[in-house]
Amino acid sequence: MDHALAVLVGLFIALGVYLLLSRSIIRMLLGVTIFGNGVNLLIFTAGRLTREVAPIVPEGLDHPAGPIANPLPQALILTAIVIGFAMFSFLLVLAYRAYQGLDADNTDTMRVAEPEDAPRPPLSY
Amino acid sequence: MDHSLLPPAMIATQTALADWVIVLPLVLALLGAALLLMLRHVLHLPALVAGLVVIGIIACEASLLLRVMAEGPLSMTMGKWLPPFGISFTADILGAAFALAAAVVTLIVIIYAEGERGEEQRGDGFHALVLLLLAGVTGAFLTGDLFNLYVWFEVMLIASFGLIVTGGRPLQLDGAVKYGFLNFLATTLFLLSLGLTYGLLGTLNMADIIGKATTANPAALTGIAALLLLAFGMKAAAFPLNAWLPASYHTPPAVISALFAGLLTKVGIYALLRALVQLMPASRDILEPALLLVAIATLLIAPLGAIAETNLRRAIGFLVIGGIGGVLAGIALAQQGGVEGAAFYVFHAILTMTALYLVAGLIERRTGQRDTRHMGGFYAASTPLSMLFLVLVLATAGVPPFLGFWPKLLLLDAGLQQALAGDWADGVLVLALLANAVLTLIAGSRLWAHVFWRQGAEGTANEHEAISLRSPGPREQWLGLGASIVLTALILVAGLWPNLLFEGARTGAADLVDPTRYIAAVGLAEAAP
């Protein structure tokens, strides 16, 4: 199971990187999301996969009765999902605004901040 | 499995009231940001509230720093769980000192911003975002838990996203797209290495990692360290990953550029310093050739970029990258001396880079230009500004007796010692440091000459026609210039009396190279090797 998930993580990250190398911002956004999900799966796998019960302590005991599933990676992933979603939403709105303001979805034509005909270095002293 | 043999996992005693000082800055910053969000439509009041909150934060952090200097690192763990289960906040001298410097810089920036904010900027939430940014930076400096560091990185990132598009001109959107994507990718890579760290060591508490990393598989750990180098190097704009910084730092209003230059890359490089020098020293030794290469390239390429640049703020962006190269040199040298130099360098860069951008903002407002080719003859118009800019350029280049000289001296001393001991690569690093100082001086003095010294703009007859200057309003003059003068005076004073900083850097670096006190503060001494 671990091996299958490791391969899946690799696929996710490869796909994310492939999409991030695109010039189209929408594809880059999809790439960021897929990459992030690959990382979340990686954390999940790193926390050791077990077929156990939820980590709930029964009434009257001060520790779980038997083996339990590791709750920490799930908490980490939950945090990462929330943060990743917030970032994704911002970038989505930014991409839309950039499309409106710069009339460009192609990163190659976004040359306002770094003009293509860059001036020569000043030669005077 | 017998559960009675397990160590206790809960804190039975109450946290001492005095220990709360370590989280108080964060609480203040977050509550202040919430309050300012509600007040954002009022004119002038938000600046006052934000200023008072930041003064409170400075007071907290100053007392924290004094306490850490007197008693050694201080730690507080959240939510009754003992470390390594609970999230620890651990302040050592470096973290506390950088957090204090960041808060001071933020206060200066808030005062400066008030000089140019008018009716049209009302309700943009600037102050709330600045406090959120400060919360993220402070949290990153004070946390003792790797995942918590990631969370603070993201707090910082989302606040900076909001700030970089404040105003929403097309130029900013362009810069923000590049800044946003690359920085989000960097934090995702950090999360990736974090997941691998957890898989390998089973812990994310920094003090716990130090103990467990010594017995871990060195190959796997070095892979993780390399990933961390990639992620933090991207955040810090080290050479091959620096493209986003000159693309975006000149796009927002100058006051926001100043805040970014002082805080963002410094947090990245601080995280790298802590991760490689303190958490995984064995892996750092294996990565040393790569670190040397990155440090040398960053040191040389950054000032060359500044020399070739005509846009004033873009040129300063390259100087910011040059400062990062200095810290990287310290990480590559790694012995006590190198780490001292790196720590001192971060402190100097927080103050100096912010001041440079603030002065650049004043220049841009007076001339109405962003390009040095259209500036000139400023010296006659504003002597204070030209003096400020020259002092900051000299401090950045590391000319004695200014602030930038001392960390460079520490780095050169450490590098020469190792070079004379037969390590030729460190000799190359020493040469790169010297070349960086010379090239930075050339870049900075050329900027100064083009903006202030020559009679008129480029291309005019004999460059003698003075450019038309906008006269500053009284508020801009008092608040903007005043704040810049105060910060520059601080830099001057720190450069003339650096003993306290030397002392702090020495103790802080000792805690980083030998983390026994750090681990003991968190309460994991029995787990230490």
Side-chain angles (χ1 to χ4, degrees):
Chain A
M1 191 67 198
D2 286 26
H3 296 87
L5 268 175
V7 170
L8 195 61
V9 168
L11 278 175
F12 264 80
I13 289 183
L15 185 59
V17 169
Y18 173 74
L19 286 170
L20 269 167
L21 294 173
S22 157
R23 280 191 295 272
S24 155
I25 291 204
I26 295 296
R27 282 190 190 178
M28 285 173 68
L29 271 168
L30 292 173
V32 161
T33 314
I34 290 169
F35 189 93
N37 279 322
V39 172
N40 289 342
L41 263 182
L42 182 140
I43 297 176
F44 184 63
T45 316
R48 307 291 185 275
L49 302 165
T50 49
R51 285 179 172 273
E52 300 296 351
V53 293
I56 294 172
V57 180
E59 189 82 39
L61 287 178
D62 57 358
H63 56 78
I68 50 165
N70 186 357
L72 187 68
Q74 301 176 28
L76 298 185
I77 293 169
L78 196 58
T79 314
I81 286 175
V82 172
I83 293 175
F85 182 70
M87 296 286 163
F88 175 76
S89 325
F90 179 87
L91 287 177
L92 189 63
V93 174
L94 181 68
Y96 181 63
R97 277 297 309 270
Y99 172 69
Q100 282 182 317
L102 308 166
D103 199 22
D105 172 49
N106 183 336
T107 46
D108 276 2
T109 54
M110 278 195 185
R111 301 304 299 257
V112 185
E114 299 179 284
E116 279 189 82
D117 48 344
R120 294 185 49 181
L123 300 172
S124 59
Y125 263 100
Chain B
M1 179 172 175
D2 186 8
H3 286 284
S4 60
L5 295 175
L6 286 177
M10 303 297 275
I11 299 173
T13 54
Q14 203 152 17
T15 309
L17 209 54
D19 287 359
W20 286 86
V21 73
I22 194 168
V23 289
L24 204 53
L26 293 161
V27 174
L28 277 175
L30 290 170
L31 288 179
L35 180 67
L36 284 163
L37 205 59
M38 291 185 265
L39 294 175
R40 71 182 182 279
H41 290 296
V42 190
L43 199 64
H44 299 316
L45 184 66
L48 187 69
V49 174
L52 288 174
V53 171
V54 177
I55 287 171
I57 292 171
I58 290 174
C60 286
E61 274 163 358
S63 67
L64 175 68
L65 182 61
L66 289 173
R67 208 178 135 178
V68 170
M69 280 197 130
E71 305 171 14
L74 173 75
S75 178
M76 171 181 172
T77 304
M78 310 292 142
K80 279 210 161 179
W81 288 97
L82 279 174
F85 305 107
I87 291 177
S88 300
F89 272 75
T90 315
D92 58 358
I93 288 192
L94 296 191
F98 297 161
L100 180 63
V104 168
V105 158
T106 309
L107 182 63
I108 298 278
V109 161
I110 288 170
I111 296 169
Y112 177 98
E114 204 43 30
E116 52 185 52
R117 285 173 67 79
E119 189 64 41
E120 64 276 11
Q121 274 90 21
R122 201 158 90 170
D124 61 359
F126 169 79
H127 295 99
L129 286 169
V130 167
L131 277 192
L132 277 178
L133 184 70
L134 182 64
V137 170
T138 312
F141 282 142
L142 295 182
T143 188
D145 183 284
L146 217 48
F147 190 80
N148 196 244
L149 180 67
Y150 162 76
V151 172
W152 289 119
F153 261 67
E154 297 286 31
V155 170
M156 201 169 80
L157 192 58
I158 201 82
S160 64
F161 280 175
L163 283 171
I164 202 170
V165 293
T166 296
R169 288 166 306 121
L171 176 74
Q172 286 171 274
L173 293 174
D174 185 341
V177 166
K178 288 147 189 176
Y179 173 84
F181 269 99
L182 286 170
N183 274 281
F184 184 37
L185 190 63
T187 49
T188 311
L189 284 167
F190 175 31
L191 186 65
L192 182 94
S193 41
L194 222 148
L196 292 170
T197 309
Y198 178 66
L200 185 68
L201 304 176
T203 180
L204 289 170
N205 184 302
M206 289 185 191
D208 206 22
I209 288 175
I210 298 169
K212 292 209 166 107
T214 47
T215 54
N217 176 346
L221 197 68
T222 306
I224 292 171
L227 263 174
L228 284 173
L229 173 61
L230 176 70
F232 291 146
M234 207 158 163
K235 293 292 295 181
F239 160 61
L241 312 161
N242 63 356
W244 58 269
L245 194 146
S248 62
Y249 266 32
H250 63 292
T251 57
V255 60
I256 292 171
S257 295
L259 200 60
F260 282 11
L263 304 183
L264 297 181
T265 51
K266 307 305 171 285
V267 174
I269 203 75
Y270 160 84
L272 188 64
L273 189 68
R274 193 169 283 288
L276 290 186
V277 175
Q278 190 181 27
L279 303 188
M280 305 171 182
S283 305
R284 194 215 63 85
D285 293 346
I286 297 173
L287 288 174
E288 184 157 319
L291 276 166
L292 276 165
L293 211 60
V294 168
I296 291 168
T298 310
L299 280 169
L300 293 179
I301 283 171
L304 287 174
I307 289 176
E309 198 52 67
T310 58
N311 182 313
L312 180 61
R313 272 198 278 156
R314 274 193 68 161
I316 298 173
F318 278 107
L319 295 183
V320 170
I321 299 173
I324 293 297
V327 188
L328 278 166
I331 299 175
L333 291 169
Q335 313 303 351
Q336 168 74 19
V339 180
E340 264 178 51
F344 202 145
Y345 213 120
V346 174
F347 192 85
H348 142 71
I350 290 176
L351 300 176
T352 312
M353 299 306 167
T354 310
L356 262 176
Y357 269 108
L358 291 181
V359 174
L362 288 175
I363 295 168
E364 281 181 10
R365 279 183 75 81
R366 292 287 305 275
T367 55
Q369 300 287 350
R370 288 170 162 248
D371 202 314
T372 51
R373 284 171 306 166
H374 309 310
M375 298 178 188
F378 211 140
Y379 188 72
S382 178
T383 315
L385 262 185
S386 49
M387 306 240 310
L388 285 183
F389 197 75
L390 191 62
V391 165
L392 293 172
V393 160
L394 294 177
T396 310
V399 176
F402 295 103
L403 182 59
F405 169 68
W406 308 111
K408 277 210 168 78
L409 183 70
L410 285 170
L411 288 172
L412 286 174
D413 184 37
L416 274 176
Q417 272 177 16
Q418 291 188 38
L420 293 175
D423 195 340
W424 62 267
D426 287 337
V428 178
L429 185 67
V430 167
L431 290 177
L433 272 165
L434 291 170
N436 168 271
V438 173
L439 290 171
T440 307
L441 194 57
I442 291 174
S445 53
R446 267 165 61 96
L447 281 178
W448 192 81
H450 289 148
V451 177
F452 294 100
W453 196 244
R454 71 175 170 207
Q455 300 291 324
E458 191 174 300
T460 54
N462 297 333
E463 302 191 342
H464 266 291
E465 287 172 46
I467 48 165
S468 60
L469 290 176
R470 210 179 50 78
S471 58
R475 270 182 56 225
E476 183 186 334
Q477 187 76 356
W478 279 104
L479 292 169
L481 194 61
S484 312
I485 288 174
V486 167
L487 188 54
T488 312
L490 202 66
I491 291 165
L492 261 179
V493 169
L496 292 174
W497 286 277
N499 279 349
L500 185 67
L501 289 171
F502 271 124
E503 199 56 46
R506 192 171 307 125
T507 325
D511 277 341
L512 223 49
V513 176
D514 173 21
T516 320
R517 286 199 328 164
Y518 186 90
I519 298 172
V522 180
L524 291 163
E526 67 279 359

